């Protein structure tokens, strides 16, 4: 055994180095647009699309990062977007996990048809029913309010589908055991399903948060007053009929990605724990 | 007691009169932050009419048409609507969303002739639905230093397209990234196609586009011998005409007069390093008088659902009339009313090129709308742009592309 | 009422209480507009003038509409090209990033982030790399002897593949997250046992990972299929549907019908056809679920 181990260690090290090499190559490939965004954000507009592009600007224009806060009410837009993202993400987590559990574990009349209905609606592009939806919201007096977007996005077929797929993968024995112990459905949901679905909840959090954070069409249609607008609408204010200030757009975009980055790093820790450790044998 | 009642009654009447006089007008605009003239006109109007207040609804330019369509579909009651282009105008008219202005025009005795013949092009079924306040025309910008360097004479206010092409070839020089191109064709189809309709014999909306062939041949030849940058590079590289002009990479640029204000501002802040620039009139086909050019208009319309139509009309009349025109001209924007007073005001704007030719470049004889008013204008514009792209990238021959244009537009016009 | 019937009623009621908050909001604010949009597909409406009933007129128009045919074919091409590719790459990435090593969170973030990058940045970078005259890709191709490298997004044949590449590049990180989450549910003991028995990593992957990840693969397949049928934003920014109509996709055509031509009825009819196609594929996938998806 002893003479096998050193060469196995060597093999593992070689594998690890190869892994790092491949990953670094891929990561560079994936991050090139961000490098471009960063470089463009420090240049003048006329040089942003210069060919060949100067990756390292001769005189970095740090002023751009000051301008974005002055030229548009960026802080206000930031706060609005954060408010919407947090509220909607929370609501989606609650409604999707509840519904997902029901579709995954409970047997009730009409379950499969309703579920298929949910999935079917994902297939319809929003452009198709945008106008009827808007007319309805307007008649309800919700136009030009944050509540309109919150209501529209608090519930999503995507979230329900995601949660159902994850919850269906949790071993039935766990919930059966709990039922024998006298736990009701809500108890099973809260005490067993939710803790075991942390990776799924983390996934849904990331997807929903990013979705709301980067959403442009919804705020465009439903917000008219400046005090309600979001970051994406703010970015559009740097584009005018005949020109666009891409350097400022890129600077503002990068700044707006910082919370997303922080959230991602925070959430992806939940991908480390799994149900393997809690185990069926408990 | 009786006195009290009388006083109370008088107070109520007085209050209701002043309450009735106070008006709040909702005005929908785009690019409020980048447009220099909107607030000054509003301020001037409010000074003269203290009982009128404004609520501005600002929409990003690129999303304007879409959002307005959704807003109006939902029953929006904004009073004054800015009309950005002909397709959206045609759409709003077809949907009966705009108030006809004929009665107001007659009552206020507005002289429609002061709009250089543009009014006729936006009347639908004898009804006028908007008043233009701004009109941009196509002209030619040029970089004096580039011409001086090659010891070539500057472009003049009276050039035919052949003379222009020859001039562009003469002034081109250099290789690779240091090349200075004689001219520049921005990716819009209008830059290539507008010369074809200057003589007034054909329209952009047609069933046979073979009349465009000589003009496509002219520009494709320029693309081939590198007098201009090729379309593919411009599109893929997202190259904007302003950038290449500021960097001194092009000697001439056929473009709309909206660029004047931008050039002045960017020269002032140093972004534009080519300080010696000038303008001349748009070249013309042989036999067509100089000063014939193409243009676009920006107008104001009144929402059919507005609750303050009379007050809205008063503002529209002001903005589009001589008072508004003067304010726009002083700020370097070309108003729809273009008389000598307006042209003189523009010449006096700080940063406007002071040579004689530039001063006369904005005097126009006939302005043909870039896209004529037609219910199917938007669809046809799209078809023309798609086939245009195939021709200029070499994916289709000129004949093939023009034949496809003709066939597809014919089908669109035939369908109801 | 019998004891079992009342028990069934009670469990139904409890189940419905779980989905009710979701279902009510969903029904009112999404299903109703969608139903209205579907009703619209039998009408002619421009958003202001009264609606006119045209029966199946919109659908027969679609059969002869060249625009619709071109965008349908383009969309199918896009779906077939991107779904399997994205799926395979996202699975491989997830497996790579599931082991423990230093810097793992950084790499996970790096692969996810293209999804949140500005579409303009994505388009610019791709167009820069694939710039016809002077870009690195074509320079390399010329160096290895390809005499006439393609004009990529400015060429009718290569524009769609270019957009597809950008889409795959952008999306792998997103679906990798789903696989990463699912991988947490695969018990470590299985791998340890297999290794003790002498299995190679390749065999572990094929015999343990892939089968146990089938629920996630099912989810990713359906989501990917639907998402790629609905592709719109990326095309808009990268090529605008061109050159010509080479990258015109279904949602683009629907969007134009609604907001360029103001034909909401026709737009709804096209959306309905898109929906039916996707629904058919989804139902097929669900039927297949029982055959190849293994739930623990």
């Amino acid at each position: 055994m002893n003479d096998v181990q050193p060469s196995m260690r060597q093999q593992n090290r070689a594998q690890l180095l190869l892994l790092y090499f491949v990953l670094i190559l891929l990561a560079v490939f994936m991050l090139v647009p961000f490098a471009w965004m960063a470089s463009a954000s420090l240049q003048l507009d006329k040089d942003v699309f210069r060919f060949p592009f100067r990756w390292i600007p001769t005189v970095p224009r740090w002023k751009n990062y000051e301008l974005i806060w002055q030229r548009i009410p960026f802080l206000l837009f930031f706060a609005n977007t954060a408010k919407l993202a947090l509220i909607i993400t929370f609501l989606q987590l609650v409604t999707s996990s509840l519904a997902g559990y029901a579709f995954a574990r409970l047997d009730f009349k009409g379950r499969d048809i309703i579920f298929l209905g949910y999935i079917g609606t994902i297939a319809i592009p929003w452009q198709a029913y945008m106008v009827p939806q808007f007319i309805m919201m307007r008649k309800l007096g919700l136009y030009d309010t944050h509540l309109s977007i919150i209501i529209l996005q608090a519930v999503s077929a995507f979230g329900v589908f995601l949660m159902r797929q994850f919850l269906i993968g949790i071993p039935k024995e766990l919930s059966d055991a709990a039922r024998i112990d006298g736990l009701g459905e809500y108890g099973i949901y809260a005490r067993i399903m939710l803790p075991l679905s942390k990776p799924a909840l983390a996934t849904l959090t990331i997807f929903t948060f990013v979705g709301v954070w980067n959403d442009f069409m919804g705020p465009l249609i439903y917000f008219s007053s400046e005090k309600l607008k979001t970051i994406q609408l703010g970015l559009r204010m740097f584009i005018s009929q005949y020109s666009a200030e891409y350097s400022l757009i890129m600077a503002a975009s990068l700044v707006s990605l910082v919370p997303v980055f922080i959230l991602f790093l925070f959430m992806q820790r939940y991908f480390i724990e799994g149900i393997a450790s809690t185990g069926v044998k408990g | 007691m009786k006195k009290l009642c009388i006083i109370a009654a008088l107070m109520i009447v007085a209050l209701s009169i002043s309450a009735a006089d106070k008006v709040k007008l909702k005005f929908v605009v785009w690019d409020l932050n980048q447009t220099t003239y909107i607030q000054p006109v509003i301020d001037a109007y409010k000074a003269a009419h203290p009982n009128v207040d404004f609520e501005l609804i600002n929409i990003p330019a690129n999303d304007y048409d879409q959002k307005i369509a959704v807003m109006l579909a939902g029953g929006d009651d904004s009073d004054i609507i800015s009309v950005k282009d002909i397709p959206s105008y045609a759409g709003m008219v077809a949907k009966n969303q705009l108030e006809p202005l004929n009665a107001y025009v007659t009552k206020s005795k507005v002289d429609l002739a002061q709009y250089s013949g543009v009014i006729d092009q936006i009347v639908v079924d004898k009804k006028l639905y908007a008043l233009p306040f701004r009109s941009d025309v196509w002209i030619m910008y040029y970089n004096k230093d580039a011409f001086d360097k090659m010891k070539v004479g500057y472009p003049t206010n009276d050039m035919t397209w052949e003379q222009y092409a020859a001039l562009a070839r003469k002034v081109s020089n250099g290789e690779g990234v240091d090349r200075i191109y004689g001219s520049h064709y921005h990716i819009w189809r209008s830059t290539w196609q507008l010369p074809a309709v200057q003589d007034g014999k054909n329209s952009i909306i047609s069933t046979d586009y073979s009349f465009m062939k000589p003009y496509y041949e002219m520009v494709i030849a320029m693309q081939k011998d590198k007098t201009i940058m090729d379309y593919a590079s411009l599109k893929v590289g997202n190259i904007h005409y302003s950038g290449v002009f500021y960097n001194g990479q092009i000697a001439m640029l056929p473009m709309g007069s909206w660029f004047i204000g931008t050039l002045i501002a960017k020269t002032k802040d140093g972004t534009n390093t080519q300080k010696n620039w000038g303008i001349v009139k748009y070249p013309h086909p042989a036999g067509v008088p100089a000063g014939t050019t193409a243009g676009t208009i920006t107008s104001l319309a009144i929402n059919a659902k507005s609750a303050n139509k009379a007050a809205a009309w008063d503002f529209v009349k002001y903005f589009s009339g001589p008072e508004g025109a003067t304010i726009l001209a002083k700020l370097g924007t070309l108003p729809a009313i273009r008389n000598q007073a307006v042209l003189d005001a523009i010449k006096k704007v700080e940063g406007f090129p002071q040579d004689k030719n530039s001063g006369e470049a904005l005097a126009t004889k006939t302005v043909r709308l870039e896209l004529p008013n037609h219910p199917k204008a938007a669809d046809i514009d799209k078809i023309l742009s798609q086939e245009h792209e195939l021709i200029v990238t070499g994916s289709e021959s000129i004949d093939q592309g023009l034949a496809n244009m003709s066939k597809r537009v014919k089908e669109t016009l035939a369908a109801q | 009422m019998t004891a079992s019937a009342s028990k069934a009623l009670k469990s139904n009621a409890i189940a419905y209480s779980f989905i009710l908050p979701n279902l009510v909001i969903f029904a009112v604010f999404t299903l109703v507009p969608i139903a209205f949009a579907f009703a619209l597909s039998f009408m002619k409406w421009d958003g202001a003038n009264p609606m006119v009933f045209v029966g199946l007129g919109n659908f027969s128009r679609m059969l002869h509409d060249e625009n619709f045919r071109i965008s349908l074919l383009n969309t199918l091409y896009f779906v077939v090209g991107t779904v399997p590719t994205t799926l395979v790459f996202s699975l491989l990435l997830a497996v790579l990033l599931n082991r423990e090593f230093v810097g793992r969170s950084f790499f996970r973030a790096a692969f996810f982030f293209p999804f949140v990058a500005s579409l303009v940045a994505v388009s610019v970078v791709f167009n820069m790399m694939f710039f016809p005259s002077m870009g690195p890709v074509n320079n390399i191709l010329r160096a290895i002897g390809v005499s006439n490298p393609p004009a990529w997004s400015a060429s009718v044949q290569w524009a769609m593949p270019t957009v597809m590449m950008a889409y795959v590049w952008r999306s792998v990180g997103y679906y990798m997250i789903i696989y990463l989450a699912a991988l947490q549910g695969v018990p470590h003991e299985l791998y340890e046992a297999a290794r003790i028995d002498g299995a190679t990593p390749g065999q572990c992957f094929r015999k343990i990972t892939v089968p146990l990840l089938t629920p996630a693969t099912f989810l990713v397949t359906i989501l990917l299929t639907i998402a790629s049928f609905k592709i719109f934003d990326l095309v808009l920014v990268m090529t605008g549907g061109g050159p010509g109509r080479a990258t015109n996709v279904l949602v683009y055509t629907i969007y134009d019908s609604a907001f360029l031509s103001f034909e909401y009825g026709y737009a709804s009819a096209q959306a309905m056809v898109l929906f039916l196609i996707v629904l058919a594929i989804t139902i097929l996938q669900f039927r297949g679920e029982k055959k190849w998806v293994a739930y623990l």
Side-chain angles (χ1 to χ4, degrees), chain B residues 66 94-96 235-236 378-379 382 386 389-390 395 408 416, chain C residues 44 46 48-49 127 156 239 243-245 255-256 260-262:
Chain B
Q66 187 192 341
K95 290 186 268 181
N96 297 317
K235 174 143 196 242
V236 176
D379 295 295
K382 185 128 213 190
Q386 286 168 344
E389 193 170 28
L390 290 173
S395 315
R408 289 177 65 192
Q416 12 69 296
Chain C
K44 191 174 152 83
D46 63 359
N49 293 321
N127 279 333
V156 170
T239 58
R245 287 176 284 182
Y255 180 83
D256 273 351
L260 203 72
S261 319
F262 300 116

mmCIF file of all heavy atoms in Angstrom, chain B residues 66 94-96 235-236 378-379 382 386 389-390 395 408 416, chain C residues 44 46 48-49 127 156 239 243-245 255-256 260-262:
data_model
loop_
_atom_site.group_PDB
_atom_site.id
_atom_site.type_symbol
_atom_site.label_atom_id
_atom_site.label_comp_id
_atom_site.label_asym_id
_atom_site.label_seq_id
_atom_site.Cartn_x
_atom_site.Cartn_y
_atom_site.Cartn_z
ATOM 1 N N GLN B 66 -42.977 52.549 -28.144
ATOM 2 C CA GLN B 66 -43.604 51.392 -27.537
ATOM 3 C C GLN B 66 -44.402 51.761 -26.302
ATOM 4 O O GLN B 66 -45.546 51.352 -26.118
ATOM 5 C CB GLN B 66 -42.523 50.373 -27.165
ATOM 6 C CG GLN B 66 -43.105 49.076 -26.682
ATOM 7 C CD GLN B 66 -42.060 48.196 -26.062
ATOM 8 O OE1 GLN B 66 -40.872 48.356 -26.270
ATOM 9 N NE2 GLN B 66 -42.513 47.246 -25.273
ATOM 10 N N ALA B 94 -54.457 56.421 -37.032
ATOM 11 C CA ALA B 94 -55.325 55.302 -37.420
ATOM 12 C C ALA B 94 -56.154 54.821 -36.237
ATOM 13 O O ALA B 94 -57.259 54.323 -36.400
ATOM 14 C CB ALA B 94 -54.472 54.156 -37.965
ATOM 15 N N LYS B 95 -55.607 54.971 -35.029
ATOM 16 C CA LYS B 95 -56.336 54.499 -33.858
ATOM 17 C C LYS B 95 -57.196 55.596 -33.236
ATOM 18 O O LYS B 95 -57.701 55.433 -32.139
ATOM 19 C CB LYS B 95 -55.337 53.982 -32.814
ATOM 20 C CG LYS B 95 -54.662 52.697 -33.254
ATOM 21 C CD LYS B 95 -53.799 52.131 -32.173
ATOM 22 C CE LYS B 95 -52.396 52.624 -32.287
ATOM 23 N NZ LYS B 95 -51.529 52.066 -31.250
ATOM 24 N N ASN B 96 -57.335 56.723 -33.958
ATOM 25 C CA ASN B 96 -58.173 57.819 -33.451
ATOM 26 C C ASN B 96 -57.773 58.273 -32.056
ATOM 27 O O ASN B 96 -58.623 58.585 -31.225
ATOM 28 C CB ASN B 96 -59.654 57.403 -33.422
ATOM 29 C CG ASN B 96 -60.154 57.122 -34.808
ATOM 30 O OD1 ASN B 96 -59.869 57.863 -35.744
ATOM 31 N ND2 ASN B 96 -60.881 56.033 -34.957
ATOM 32 N N LYS B 235 -21.585 47.916 -38.546
ATOM 33 C CA LYS B 235 -22.651 47.288 -37.773
ATOM 34 C C LYS B 235 -22.069 46.412 -36.677
ATOM 35 O O LYS B 235 -22.445 46.512 -35.524
ATOM 36 C CB LYS B 235 -23.516 46.425 -38.702
ATOM 37 C CG LYS B 235 -24.559 45.644 -37.909
ATOM 38 C CD LYS B 235 -25.861 45.546 -38.645
ATOM 39 C CE LYS B 235 -26.938 45.116 -37.677
ATOM 40 N NZ LYS B 235 -27.532 43.832 -38.028
ATOM 41 N N VAL B 236 -21.116 45.533 -37.054
ATOM 42 C CA VAL B 236 -20.557 44.622 -36.068
ATOM 43 C C VAL B 236 -19.792 45.395 -34.999
ATOM 44 O O VAL B 236 -19.811 45.048 -33.826
ATOM 45 C CB VAL B 236 -19.644 43.587 -36.763
ATOM 46 C CG1 VAL B 236 -18.980 42.706 -35.740
ATOM 47 C CG2 VAL B 236 -20.442 42.744 -37.720
ATOM 48 N N ALA B 378 -44.567 51.899 -40.981
ATOM 49 C CA ALA B 378 -43.638 51.162 -40.123
ATOM 50 C C ALA B 378 -43.229 49.828 -40.750
ATOM 51 O O ALA B 378 -42.061 49.475 -40.775
ATOM 52 C CB ALA B 378 -44.269 50.931 -38.756
ATOM 53 N N ASP B 379 -44.207 49.101 -41.273
ATOM 54 C CA ASP B 379 -43.892 47.795 -41.884
ATOM 55 C C ASP B 379 -42.970 47.967 -43.080
ATOM 56 O O ASP B 379 -42.026 47.220 -43.281
ATOM 57 C CB ASP B 379 -45.179 47.113 -42.367
ATOM 58 C CG ASP B 379 -46.094 46.767 -41.218
ATOM 59 O OD1 ASP B 379 -45.695 45.932 -40.406
ATOM 60 O OD2 ASP B 379 -47.182 47.350 -41.139
ATOM 61 N N LYS B 382 -39.443 48.679 -42.232
ATOM 62 C CA LYS B 382 -38.741 47.478 -41.799
ATOM 63 C C LYS B 382 -38.300 46.640 -42.991
ATOM 64 O O LYS B 382 -37.171 46.156 -43.043
ATOM 65 C CB LYS B 382 -39.666 46.652 -40.907
ATOM 66 C CG LYS B 382 -39.001 45.448 -40.311
ATOM 67 C CD LYS B 382 -39.178 45.388 -38.817
ATOM 68 C CE LYS B 382 -37.949 44.757 -38.208
ATOM 69 N NZ LYS B 382 -38.061 44.432 -36.832
ATOM 70 N N GLN B 386 -34.429 45.691 -44.002
ATOM 71 C CA GLN B 386 -33.940 44.321 -44.081
ATOM 72 C C GLN B 386 -33.271 44.036 -45.424
ATOM 73 O O GLN B 386 -32.166 43.507 -45.487
ATOM 74 C CB GLN B 386 -35.089 43.334 -43.856
ATOM 75 C CG GLN B 386 -35.542 43.261 -42.415
ATOM 76 C CD GLN B 386 -36.847 42.513 -42.252
ATOM 77 O OE1 GLN B 386 -37.579 42.280 -43.203
ATOM 78 N NE2 GLN B 386 -37.132 42.114 -41.026
ATOM 79 N N GLU B 389 -29.941 45.842 -45.855
ATOM 80 C CA GLU B 389 -28.820 45.194 -45.190
ATOM 81 C C GLU B 389 -28.256 44.055 -46.036
ATOM 82 O O GLU B 389 -27.045 43.847 -46.100
ATOM 83 C CB GLU B 389 -29.283 44.671 -43.836
ATOM 84 C CG GLU B 389 -28.138 44.261 -42.943
ATOM 85 C CD GLU B 389 -28.576 43.976 -41.528
ATOM 86 O OE1 GLU B 389 -29.754 43.578 -41.335
ATOM 87 O OE2 GLU B 389 -27.746 44.133 -40.627
ATOM 88 N N LEU B 390 -29.155 43.316 -46.705
ATOM 89 C CA LEU B 390 -28.671 42.205 -47.520
ATOM 90 C C LEU B 390 -27.887 42.710 -48.720
ATOM 91 O O LEU B 390 -26.893 42.117 -49.132
ATOM 92 C CB LEU B 390 -29.858 41.341 -47.979
ATOM 93 C CG LEU B 390 -30.524 40.554 -46.858
ATOM 94 C CD1 LEU B 390 -31.784 39.871 -47.356
ATOM 95 C CD2 LEU B 390 -29.565 39.527 -46.283
ATOM 96 N N SER B 395 -24.810 40.126 -49.507
ATOM 97 C CA SER B 395 -25.524 38.849 -49.462
ATOM 98 C C SER B 395 -26.486 38.721 -50.636
ATOM 99 O O SER B 395 -26.861 37.631 -51.028
ATOM 100 C CB SER B 395 -26.319 38.727 -48.160
ATOM 101 O OG SER B 395 -25.535 39.121 -47.068
ATOM 102 N N ARG B 408 -42.043 42.578 -51.779
ATOM 103 C CA ARG B 408 -42.573 42.538 -50.412
ATOM 104 C C ARG B 408 -43.418 43.757 -50.084
ATOM 105 O O ARG B 408 -44.451 43.656 -49.430
ATOM 106 C CB ARG B 408 -41.423 42.397 -49.423
ATOM 107 C CG ARG B 408 -40.768 41.028 -49.461
ATOM 108 C CD ARG B 408 -39.582 40.956 -48.520
ATOM 109 N NE ARG B 408 -40.005 41.093 -47.135
ATOM 110 C CZ ARG B 408 -39.175 41.292 -46.117
ATOM 111 N NH1 ARG B 408 -37.887 41.394 -46.343
ATOM 112 N NH2 ARG B 408 -39.630 41.394 -44.893
ATOM 113 N N GLN B 416 -54.816 44.078 -46.310
ATOM 114 C CA GLN B 416 -55.471 45.185 -45.593
ATOM 115 C C GLN B 416 -55.049 45.160 -44.145
ATOM 116 O O GLN B 416 -55.377 44.528 -43.313
ATOM 117 C CB GLN B 416 -56.994 45.184 -45.746
ATOM 118 C CG GLN B 416 -57.625 43.951 -46.349
ATOM 119 C CD GLN B 416 -57.549 42.747 -45.463
ATOM 120 O OE1 GLN B 416 -56.454 42.243 -45.160
ATOM 121 N NE2 GLN B 416 -58.670 42.272 -44.968
ATOM 122 N N LYS C 44 -59.359 40.857 -34.884
ATOM 123 C CA LYS C 44 -58.456 41.853 -35.465
ATOM 124 C C LYS C 44 -58.610 43.086 -34.582
ATOM 125 O O LYS C 44 -59.706 43.604 -34.408
ATOM 126 C CB LYS C 44 -58.898 42.160 -36.898
ATOM 127 C CG LYS C 44 -57.892 42.988 -37.690
ATOM 128 C CD LYS C 44 -58.376 43.102 -39.137
ATOM 129 C CE LYS C 44 -57.893 44.364 -39.792
ATOM 130 N NZ LYS C 44 -56.531 44.237 -40.306
ATOM 131 N N ASP C 46 -56.423 46.816 -33.100
ATOM 132 C CA ASP C 46 -55.214 47.637 -33.109
ATOM 133 C C ASP C 46 -54.998 48.350 -31.778
ATOM 134 O O ASP C 46 -54.151 49.212 -31.668
ATOM 135 C CB ASP C 46 -55.267 48.666 -34.244
ATOM 136 C CG ASP C 46 -56.432 49.640 -34.059
ATOM 137 O OD1 ASP C 46 -57.179 49.493 -33.074
ATOM 138 O OD2 ASP C 46 -56.587 50.529 -34.888
ATOM 139 N N ALA C 48 -57.206 50.263 -30.195
ATOM 140 C CA ALA C 48 -58.076 51.423 -29.980
ATOM 141 C C ALA C 48 -59.432 51.253 -30.651
ATOM 142 O O ALA C 48 -60.462 51.360 -30.007
ATOM 143 C CB ALA C 48 -57.402 52.684 -30.506
ATOM 144 N N ASN C 49 -59.416 50.958 -31.935
ATOM 145 C CA ASN C 49 -60.689 50.774 -32.634
ATOM 146 C C ASN C 49 -61.354 49.492 -32.166
ATOM 147 O O ASN C 49 -60.704 48.630 -31.594
ATOM 148 C CB ASN C 49 -60.431 50.745 -34.146
ATOM 149 C CG ASN C 49 -59.962 52.102 -34.639
ATOM 150 O OD1 ASN C 49 -60.446 53.132 -34.189
ATOM 151 N ND2 ASN C 49 -58.989 52.095 -35.525
ATOM 152 N N ASN C 127 -18.886 40.354 -30.836
ATOM 153 C CA ASN C 127 -18.648 40.951 -32.143
ATOM 154 C C ASN C 127 -17.197 41.334 -32.320
ATOM 155 O O ASN C 127 -16.653 41.241 -33.407
ATOM 156 C CB ASN C 127 -19.551 42.171 -32.329
ATOM 157 C CG ASN C 127 -20.949 41.770 -32.746
ATOM 158 O OD1 ASN C 127 -21.141 40.726 -33.347
ATOM 159 N ND2 ASN C 127 -21.935 42.577 -32.412
ATOM 160 N N VAL C 156 -25.194 36.060 -43.740
ATOM 161 C CA VAL C 156 -26.493 35.412 -43.630
ATOM 162 C C VAL C 156 -26.371 34.002 -43.064
ATOM 163 O O VAL C 156 -27.168 33.560 -42.242
ATOM 164 C CB VAL C 156 -27.186 35.403 -45.013
ATOM 165 C CG1 VAL C 156 -28.415 34.524 -44.984
ATOM 166 C CG2 VAL C 156 -27.584 36.808 -45.404
ATOM 167 N N THR C 239 -27.911 41.391 -33.449
ATOM 168 C CA THR C 239 -28.035 41.517 -34.900
ATOM 169 C C THR C 239 -29.277 42.265 -35.349
ATOM 170 O O THR C 239 -29.450 42.512 -36.538
ATOM 171 C CB THR C 239 -28.127 40.118 -35.547
ATOM 172 O OG1 THR C 239 -29.257 39.466 -34.975
ATOM 173 C CG2 THR C 239 -26.886 39.307 -35.304
ATOM 174 N N PRO C 243 -28.509 39.614 -40.674
ATOM 175 C CA PRO C 243 -28.735 40.451 -41.845
ATOM 176 C C PRO C 243 -29.994 40.039 -42.590
ATOM 177 O O PRO C 243 -30.290 38.840 -42.710
ATOM 178 C CB PRO C 243 -27.511 40.188 -42.726
ATOM 179 C CG PRO C 243 -26.545 39.445 -41.898
ATOM 180 C CD PRO C 243 -27.307 38.784 -40.796
ATOM 181 N N GLY C 244 -30.755 41.038 -43.040
ATOM 182 C CA GLY C 244 -32.023 40.688 -43.655
ATOM 183 C C GLY C 244 -32.928 40.111 -42.587
ATOM 184 O O GLY C 244 -33.239 40.756 -41.598
ATOM 185 N N ARG C 245 -33.336 38.849 -42.751
ATOM 186 C CA ARG C 245 -34.169 38.213 -41.727
ATOM 187 C C ARG C 245 -33.489 36.950 -41.219
ATOM 188 O O ARG C 245 -34.143 36.063 -40.680
ATOM 189 C CB ARG C 245 -35.542 37.874 -42.310
ATOM 190 C CG ARG C 245 -36.402 39.101 -42.520
ATOM 191 C CD ARG C 245 -37.710 38.776 -43.179
ATOM 192 N NE ARG C 245 -37.565 38.521 -44.597
ATOM 193 C CZ ARG C 245 -38.579 38.260 -45.403
ATOM 194 N NH1 ARG C 245 -39.810 38.216 -44.931
ATOM 195 N NH2 ARG C 245 -38.385 38.047 -46.688
ATOM 196 N N TYR C 255 -43.425 40.451 -31.553
ATOM 197 C CA TYR C 255 -43.228 41.801 -31.051
ATOM 198 C C TYR C 255 -43.514 42.829 -32.141
ATOM 199 O O TYR C 255 -44.195 43.818 -31.929
ATOM 200 C CB TYR C 255 -41.788 41.920 -30.566
ATOM 201 C CG TYR C 255 -41.421 43.260 -30.022
ATOM 202 C CD1 TYR C 255 -41.726 43.601 -28.712
ATOM 203 C CD2 TYR C 255 -40.762 44.189 -30.815
ATOM 204 C CE1 TYR C 255 -41.390 44.827 -28.203
ATOM 205 C CE2 TYR C 255 -40.424 45.419 -30.306
ATOM 206 C CZ TYR C 255 -40.739 45.734 -29.000
ATOM 207 O OH TYR C 255 -40.402 46.954 -28.505
ATOM 208 N N ASP C 256 -42.999 42.583 -33.358
ATOM 209 C CA ASP C 256 -43.235 43.517 -34.451
ATOM 210 C C ASP C 256 -44.712 43.619 -34.792
ATOM 211 O O ASP C 256 -45.226 44.704 -35.058
ATOM 212 C CB ASP C 256 -42.461 43.065 -35.703
ATOM 213 C CG ASP C 256 -41.054 43.592 -35.710
ATOM 214 O OD1 ASP C 256 -40.732 44.426 -34.846
ATOM 215 O OD2 ASP C 256 -40.278 43.161 -36.580
ATOM 216 N N LEU C 260 -45.137 47.252 -33.923
ATOM 217 C CA LEU C 260 -44.770 47.977 -35.129
ATOM 218 C C LEU C 260 -45.995 48.136 -36.013
ATOM 219 O O LEU C 260 -46.290 49.193 -36.545
ATOM 220 C CB LEU C 260 -43.679 47.188 -35.871
ATOM 221 C CG LEU C 260 -42.807 47.985 -36.810
ATOM 222 C CD1 LEU C 260 -41.886 48.862 -36.014
ATOM 223 C CD2 LEU C 260 -42.001 47.061 -37.686
ATOM 224 N N SER C 261 -46.732 47.029 -36.182
ATOM 225 C CA SER C 261 -47.894 47.044 -37.059
ATOM 226 C C SER C 261 -49.201 47.228 -36.303
ATOM 227 O O SER C 261 -50.250 47.345 -36.927
ATOM 228 C CB SER C 261 -47.976 45.742 -37.847
ATOM 229 O OG SER C 261 -46.719 45.334 -38.276
ATOM 230 N N PHE C 262 -49.160 47.210 -34.988
ATOM 231 C CA PHE C 262 -50.369 47.351 -34.173
ATOM 232 C C PHE C 262 -51.430 46.344 -34.564
ATOM 233 O O PHE C 262 -52.604 46.686 -34.702
ATOM 234 C CB PHE C 262 -50.925 48.772 -34.240
ATOM 235 C CG PHE C 262 -49.938 49.780 -33.736
ATOM 236 C CD1 PHE C 262 -49.421 50.744 -34.559
ATOM 237 C CD2 PHE C 262 -49.497 49.723 -32.423
ATOM 238 C CE1 PHE C 262 -48.497 51.665 -34.093
ATOM 239 C CE2 PHE C 262 -48.573 50.633 -31.941
ATOM 240 C CZ PHE C 262 -48.075 51.603 -32.787
#
